[in-house]
């Protein structure tokens, strides 16, 4: 089965094609599921949004509408055609959707109705698309694109939860396009997933893929959001995570000792919930105090590096404590870490050490699959996604579990 994945939950326009065979089972001896990555493309809008210090939803929506069709043309070069639509067939479908789509998504619809290459029906069996969570204006672009393509090519459309995509992405041994057939990493159950991104920070018990229980979550800011806000306080560009990580690494290499001590929020709370708003506020006060002490309007590079290092350590120690608590509370036999913040080098090393400490495998995503990508959406859809008997709907706060 060949699946086209579509992801537009935030500021990455992403498409992927995968081929799968066999059936996935949580019982290893019955697991015959294999996957082959055909292609995976991502167009990032990060530079465009950097002027705002974060994602501007309506601008992101407009850009998705413009970017998705050129990406489609590029990715469809990786598959063969199984037929062709006559001009009147193509125009009939477009006209049937015009009244609804032209007003809702003019950039997307305008691009698709002019895309003659879409008349060549690709060898695709289904389309998997992110339904949520995410920014609702941007989610609608992917959903509307999936609906139009599904109707044009007469293939089913499967809604996927973005957070489940992050879970399954970490089980891929390789994301190399045009690669070999591969089985997913063996997931010993029960397992724990730590999902850390710009919009989410959650600890999840995995009873099996598709069956999840939330163990703890942030009460305010997501950890990725905290990285972005702290970066702004330090005068660093958006997205903030890579820049803070760079300064932190330089502080370690140069032997800089932080002069501030930041809190480790909720580290001693009796539950597995988290909070990062207070940590961000503590950085604000630290920056103000340093500017007052030096009588300057800008932080020195040494001060920036020291604060970045202490902030990264505070985040790491907090997540370490909560992850240990989650492993112990459910008797976890394996750990998955997913989401954009999982690319942070200090955190990755920390999570690997926790795996050694508890003698459990820790699965981390590649750089490509750590952020928002369509490969994870295609994989989740191929694993156990089902066509729903309801209209697809963008759900900004869609839940993974209760």
């Amino acid at each position: 089965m060949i699946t086209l994945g579509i992801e537009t939950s935030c500021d990455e326009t992403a498409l992927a094609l995968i081929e799968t065979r066999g059936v996935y089972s949580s019982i290893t001896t019955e697991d015959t599921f294999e996957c082959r990555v055909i292609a995976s493309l991502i167009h990032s809008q990060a530079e465009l949004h950097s002027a705002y210090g974060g994602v501007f939803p309506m601008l992101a929506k407009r850009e998705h509408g413009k970017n998705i069709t050129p990406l489609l043309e590029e990715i469809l070069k990786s598959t063969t055609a199984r037929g062709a639509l006559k001009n009147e067939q193509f125009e009939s479908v477009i006209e049937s959707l015009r009244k609804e789509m032209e007003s809702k998504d003019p950039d997307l619809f305008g691009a698709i109705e002019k895309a003659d290459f879409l008349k060549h029906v690709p060898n695709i069996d289904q389309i998997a698309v992110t339904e949520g969570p995410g920014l609702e204006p941007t989610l609608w672009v992917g959903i509307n694109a999936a609906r139009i393509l599904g109707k044009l090519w007469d293939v089913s459309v499967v809604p996927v939860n973005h957070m489940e995509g992050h879970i399954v992405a970490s089980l891929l041994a390789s994301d190399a396009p045009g690669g070999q057939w591969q089985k997913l990493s063996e997931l010993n159950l029960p397992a724990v997933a730590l999902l850390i991104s710009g919009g989410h920070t959650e600890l999840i018990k995995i009873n099996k893929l598709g069956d999840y229980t939330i163990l703890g979550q942030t009460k305010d800011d997501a950890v990725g959001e905290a990285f972005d806000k702290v970066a702004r306080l330090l005068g660093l560009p958006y997205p903030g995570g890579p820049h803070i990580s760079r300064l932190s690494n330089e502080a370690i290499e140069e032997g800089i000792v932080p002069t501030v001590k930041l809190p480790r929020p909720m580290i001693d709370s009796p539950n597995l919930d988290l909070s990062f708003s207070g940590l961000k506020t503590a950085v604000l006060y630290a920056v103000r105090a340093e500017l007052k002490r030096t009588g300057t309007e800008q932080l020195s590079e040494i001060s920036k590096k020291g604060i970045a290092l202490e902030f990264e350590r505070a985040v790491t120690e907090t997540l370490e404590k909560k992850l240990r608590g989650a492993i112990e509370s459910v008797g976890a036999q394996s750990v998955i870490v997913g989401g954009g913040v999982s690319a942070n080098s200090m955190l990755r090393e920390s999570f690997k050490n926790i795996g050694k400490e508890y003698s459990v495998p820790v699965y981390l995503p590649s750089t490509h699959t750590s952020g928002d990508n369509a490969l994870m959406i295609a994989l989740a859809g191929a694993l156990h996604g089902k066509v729903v008997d309801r209209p697809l709907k963008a759900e900004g706060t869609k839940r993974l579990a209760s």
Side-chain angles (χ1 to χ4, degrees):
M1 178 172 70
I2 296 179
T3 301
L4 170 67
I6 301 177
E7 156 63 24
T8 61
S9 68
C10 192
D11 61 337
E12 276 86 22
T13 312
L15 299 174
L17 278 173
I18 65 169
E19 185 175 7
T20 55
R21 63 190 181 191
V23 178
Y24 181 82
S25 171
S26 57
I27 303 173
T28 305
T29 55
E30 297 181 4
D31 182 13
T32 61
F33 184 86
E34 291 183 302
C35 169
R36 186 175 73 85
V37 180
I38 299 172
S40 182
L41 304 178
I42 300 175
H43 183 284
S44 175
Q45 301 177 22
E47 185 175 347
L48 189 65
H49 294 279
S50 62
Y52 301 95
V55 180
F56 191 67
M58 296 312 294
L59 175 59
K61 175 181 183 291
R62 186 193 71 191
E63 292 301 305
H64 282 307
K66 293 179 178 178
N67 296 332
I68 202 165
T69 306
L71 280 182
L72 264 172
E73 186 170 19
E74 181 63 27
I75 205 164
L76 291 179
K77 294 175 183 177
S78 302
T79 189
T80 57
R82 59 178 169 85
L85 295 173
K86 295 179 180 179
N87 287 339
E88 54 267 28
Q89 290 175 302
F90 182 85
E91 290 166 7
S92 175
V93 173
I94 292 297
E95 286 305 314
S96 70
L97 294 168
R98 182 179 300 280
K99 185 176 180 181
E100 175 189 2
M101 295 290 188
E102 195 169 35
S103 59
K104 286 183 177 179
D105 227 322
D107 294 300
L108 172 69
F109 188 79
I112 284 182
E113 72 171 335
K114 297 174 185 175
D116 285 347
F117 70 91
L118 294 177
K119 296 175 185 177
H120 299 284
V121 182
N123 187 26
I124 289 172
D125 299 295
Q126 69 172 10
I127 300 170
V129 62
T130 305
E131 194 174 41
L135 302 174
E136 288 195 3
T138 66
L139 286 166
W140 273 118
V141 181
I143 290 170
N144 287 334
R147 289 179 58 207
I148 296 171
L149 296 177
K151 192 164 184 179
L152 276 174
W153 299 336
D154 192 26
V155 295
S156 58
V157 178
V158 174
V160 172
N161 186 299
H162 179 85
M163 304 313 292
E164 182 166 39
H166 279 305
I167 289 176
V168 301
S170 296
L171 297 176
L172 273 175
S174 170
D175 62 21
Q180 302 298 311
W181 285 100
Q182 58 181 304
K183 293 183 76 69
L184 299 185
S185 299
E186 184 177 340
L187 185 64
N188 299 319
L189 301 171
V192 164
L194 173 61
L195 305 180
I196 44 178
S197 66
H200 299 86
T201 303
E202 299 175 339
L203 278 158
I204 306 289
K205 179 186 176 185
I206 304 174
N207 306 303
K208 63 179 181 179
L209 289 185
D211 183 3
Y212 310 106
T213 304
I214 294 180
L215 301 172
Q217 57 192 328
T218 181
K219 293 298 185 181
D220 38 62
D221 290 353
V223 63
E225 183 181 3
F227 267 96
D228 289 337
K229 289 179 177 178
V230 167
R232 199 179 312 162
L233 291 172
L234 298 181
L236 303 172
Y238 169 86
H243 298 285
I244 288 179
S245 183
R246 173 181 56 81
L247 290 184
S248 176
N249 290 335
E250 290 175 4
I252 294 172
E253 292 169 1
E254 297 168 16
I256 295 172
V257 178
T259 57
V260 299
K261 179 66 177 178
L262 297 173
R264 275 60 174 162
M266 294 186 72
I267 198 166
D268 294 320
S269 65
N271 55 41
L272 296 175
D273 289 331
L274 303 105
S275 169
F276 292 101
S277 179
L279 177 57
K280 173 258 302 180
T281 302
V283 173
L284 172 63
Y285 292 152
V287 169
R288 287 177 176 173
E290 179 64 11
L291 293 176
K292 183 177 181 180
R293 184 187 70 81
T294 59
T296 59
E297 294 183 357
Q298 291 186 333
L299 292 173
S300 68
E301 285 302 303
I302 290 177
S303 294
K304 286 183 182 180
K305 291 174 183 179
I307 292 172
L309 176 57
E310 173 62 8
F311 171 76
E312 208 169 55
R313 284 174 174 169
V315 169
T316 300
E317 290 172 22
T318 300
L319 291 176
E320 281 179 339
K321 179 71 177 291
K322 297 297 182 177
L323 181 55
R324 285 191 177 96
I327 292 171
E328 293 172 7
S329 71
V330 304
Q333 299 302 300
S334 50
V335 173
I336 286 176
V337 181
V341 181
S342 67
N344 180 277
S345 58
M346 183 182 290
L347 286 172
R348 291 178 79 90
E349 190 63 29
S350 169
F351 298 145
K352 290 176 184 177
N353 289 335
I354 288 176
K356 294 175 183 176
E357 178 184 336
Y358 287 91
S359 299
V360 298
V362 175
Y363 300 118
L364 291 153
S366 66
T367 301
H368 180 75
T369 58
S370 62
D372 294 343
N373 65 94
L375 179 52
M376 68 183 192
I377 303 305
L379 181 58
L383 271 168
H384 54 249
K386 295 181 179 179
V387 179
V388 296
D389 58 356
R390 58 169 173 78
L392 270 66
K393 181 181 179 181
E395 297 184 51
T397 57
K398 189 177 181 68
R399 305 276 289 179
L400 182 63
S402 56

